[in-house]
Amino acid sequence: MVLDAGTVNPSDISWERLNRVGEVTVYESTPPERVIERIGDAPIIVCTRTRIRREVFEQCPGLKYVGLFATGYNIIDTAAAKEHGVVVCNVPGYSTEAVAQFVFALLLEICHHVPAYDSLVRTGRWEEAPGRYASALPLMELKDKTMGIIGMGDIGYRTAQIAAAFGMRVLGTRRHPDPRMETDSIRFTDLDTLLRESDVISLHCPLFPETRNLIDKAAIAKMKDGAILINTARGPILNERDVADALNSGKLWGAGVDVLSNEPPREDNPLLHTKNCIVTPHIAWAPEETRRRLVRMVAENMEAFLSGCPIHVVNP
């Protein structure tokens, strides 16, 4: 039972790989009030943004497996799943290249304002004062800047490697630092040092209680004046009001966020009404190649579960 297929597959890729595992029922989306009804006695469900709360496990006793079209699993009550003997599996690593690439799509736009300069040329304003427009919007080189990466997992480490290729120094945090990741350009440090020394901070940590509102007024106060913030992890890691205030005051030079506390956002989300903030609709993971890989890996997770040897279990 696929509860929210429209997020992963807007009819441009095949479900054939899932169909080889078993009989599949696909819903483009499922409103919260219909989750239990639609699951019914299905033994296996897959979702990406549909919340699976405790009451689902209590009222769907036939459910044995929850698969995620995602790496993050904060939408699932994993404790309740374990209590009811339900295995929950995520898909690590499927979007590493896509998300790391998107970090730099956001960062390079903040550094170079490409659409704004394109508009300047197309509207004829370049011709009005050719010399002046080289500095009409501030530009920034990345070489010799410091990038701080909060959460040096697969995506964070790939982002670090790309940053190093730009000539940046990289500081990273990780729950269990791996010395094999360190190079002349990449090293681990503590969070306070990272906040204090980074010109660019990119978030790649999962959303847990201890990371909710991790970047708030107190954390921002420790950052360099004019730092840049990138979030492709989870929206609630930012205190959005505090980030908006820092952007409007100039404490932060710019921000690029692909994730928000509510998706789609409410009209009063402060990041939608602040300066120097790029907001995209949670698409870093969504290239076609990436989604094809995701569907294949979800099917492989199911096959492993059905064979009695589940992989990528997040509630062991």
Side-chain angles (χ1 to χ4, degrees):
M1 183 79 65
V2 180
L3 294 177
D4 47 16
T7 303
V8 174
N9 183 9
S11 301
D12 62 342
I13 60 177
S14 171
W15 291 117
E16 189 272 336
R17 188 63 181 81
L18 284 186
N19 289 329
R20 283 158 48 187
V21 180
E23 181 181 348
V24 181
T25 300
V26 176
Y27 294 102
E28 183 172 344
S29 64
T30 298
E33 65 273 13
R34 299 200 64 187
V35 170
I36 291 171
E37 169 198 339
R38 285 189 172 174
I39 292 174
D41 59 359
I44 293 177
I45 64 169
V46 190
C47 58
T48 179
R49 297 186 186 177
T50 302
R51 292 191 175 278
I52 307 299
R53 305 178 189 276
R54 174 173 291 274
E55 56 264 30
V56 173
F57 300 107
E58 293 172 346
Q59 296 184 49
C60 299
L63 186 60
K64 302 300 179 187
Y65 176 91
V66 175
L68 284 155
F69 282 118
T71 302
Y73 49 91
N74 54 289
I75 63 168
I76 311 297
D77 187 332
T78 53
K82 186 172 183 177
E83 290 172 20
H84 288 80
V86 179
V87 174
V88 181
C89 295
N90 72 342
V91 185
Y94 80 95
S95 64
T96 298
E97 297 296 332
V99 176
Q101 177 177 306
F102 200 81
V103 168
F104 284 88
L106 293 171
L107 179 56
L108 291 172
E109 168 53 23
I110 292 169
C111 291
H112 294 290
H113 311 285
V114 173
Y117 274 108
D118 174 73
S119 176
L120 182 150
V121 174
R122 293 175 185 275
T123 56
R125 286 177 291 156
W126 184 17
E127 299 174 0
E128 297 170 5
R132 189 179 69 196
Y133 284 115
S135 58
L137 293 167
L139 306 172
M140 176 187 288
E141 284 189 356
L142 293 178
K143 187 177 187 300
D144 296 327
K145 300 295 192 300
T146 297
M147 174 174 270
I149 295 178
I150 299 177
M152 191 89 89
D154 291 343
I155 296 173
Y157 184 54
R158 184 67 183 119
T159 302
Q161 291 176 312
I162 298 171
F166 272 100
M168 302 182 78
R169 168 186 178 234
V170 180
L171 300 175
T173 65
R174 181 181 167 109
R175 186 175 299 178
H176 302 292
D178 184 347
R180 293 172 299 178
M181 291 180 170
E182 294 193 313
T183 67
D184 291 342
S185 302
I186 302 171
R187 67 180 179 87
F188 288 103
T189 190
D190 60 273
L191 179 60
D192 281 353
T193 300
L194 184 152
L195 294 173
R196 185 176 63 250
E197 297 187 10
S198 297
D199 301 291
V200 180
I201 294 174
S202 188
L203 302 178
H204 298 282
C205 50
L207 178 60
F208 292 134
E210 59 268 29
T211 60
R212 184 176 292 271
N213 290 318
L214 178 68
I215 304 301
D216 60 4
K217 185 182 298 185
I220 293 167
K222 298 175 183 178
M223 296 180 190
K224 287 183 177 182
D225 291 346
I228 296 170
L229 183 64
I230 306 291
N231 188 13
T232 56
R234 287 293 184 267
I237 296 171
L238 300 184
N239 182 308
E240 292 171 336
R241 168 47 60 192
D242 290 352
V243 171
D245 289 345
L247 287 163
N248 286 329
S249 72
K251 171 65 177 179
L252 292 176
W253 192 47
V257 299
D258 186 50
V259 288
L260 294 166
S261 56
N262 289 287
E263 297 177 355
R266 293 192 291 259
E267 290 185 5
D268 62 352
N269 186 300
L271 294 181
L272 302 181
H273 308 286
T274 188
K275 63 181 183 179
N276 301 330
C277 186
I278 301 168
V279 182
T280 53
H282 204 151
I283 56 168
W285 63 281
E288 181 178 331
E289 303 94 327
T290 312
R291 290 182 289 112
R292 289 183 185 278
R293 184 183 306 118
L294 174 60
V295 170
R296 172 179 56 79
M297 294 177 72
V298 165
E300 291 170 351
N301 279 357
M302 287 187 199
E303 290 167 343
F305 169 73
L306 292 170
S307 72
C309 300
I311 57 177
H312 305 141
V313 178
V314 299
N315 65 333

